[in-house]
Amino acid sequence: MIQIVLISHGPFCEGIKKSAEMIAGKSKYVEAVPFLEGEDPQNYSEKLEKILENKTSIVLADLKGGTPYNTALYLSGKCDLKMITGMNLPILLSILTSRTDNSSVNDLAEVALNPENQGIELSKLGGNRHHAKLSLSSNR
């Protein structure tokens, strides 16, 4: 099964992994590798390489051009991976729910890049006619 590796500046990748687990349940072969504030980039590279080595992975990065992205890009010369930038929860959920034992990394990259799976749109709001109840508590 293709490994999914989430990389980000700070704990964003750990948080998005937890949010995905809350919605879709725990999944095998999903790793979060945060680049922590003050962390030595060489240390981060070694940490990420241990996760990526000997596996085929799709890597979701928070930001193109940052240290996590550049580190994965460097490691792509040694490790079998495809990288997608602009990681968000809809993309991660689409990949998780589409992934099977027979999925290829190209299949999953195609899922990630499908505009229907990116979850970005301008929502039409109802104005004053609709009032959504934000809490189920009877005290509010």
Side-chain angles (χ1 to χ4, degrees), residues 2-65:
I2 302 296
Q3 175 177 242
I4 300 169
V5 180
L6 313 171
I7 60 175
S8 66
H9 295 81
F12 174 61
C13 60
E14 295 170 321
I16 200 168
K17 179 182 175 195
K18 286 182 182 176
S19 294
E21 288 173 351
M22 180 180 164
I23 296 167
K26 288 198 174 214
S27 296
K28 292 181 178 178
Y29 311 111
V30 179
E31 299 287 343
V33 187
F35 177 57
L36 302 173
E37 188 172 342
E39 184 172 11
D40 177 12
Q42 182 60 37
N43 180 59
Y44 182 71
S45 180
E46 291 167 6
K47 192 169 62 172
L48 185 56
E49 186 172 359
K50 284 181 185 171
I51 297 294
L52 294 171
E53 65 186 1
N54 302 321
K55 298 174 190 114
T56 300
S57 305
I58 185 162
V59 176
L60 302 180
D62 62 344
L63 181 68
K64 183 178 181 180

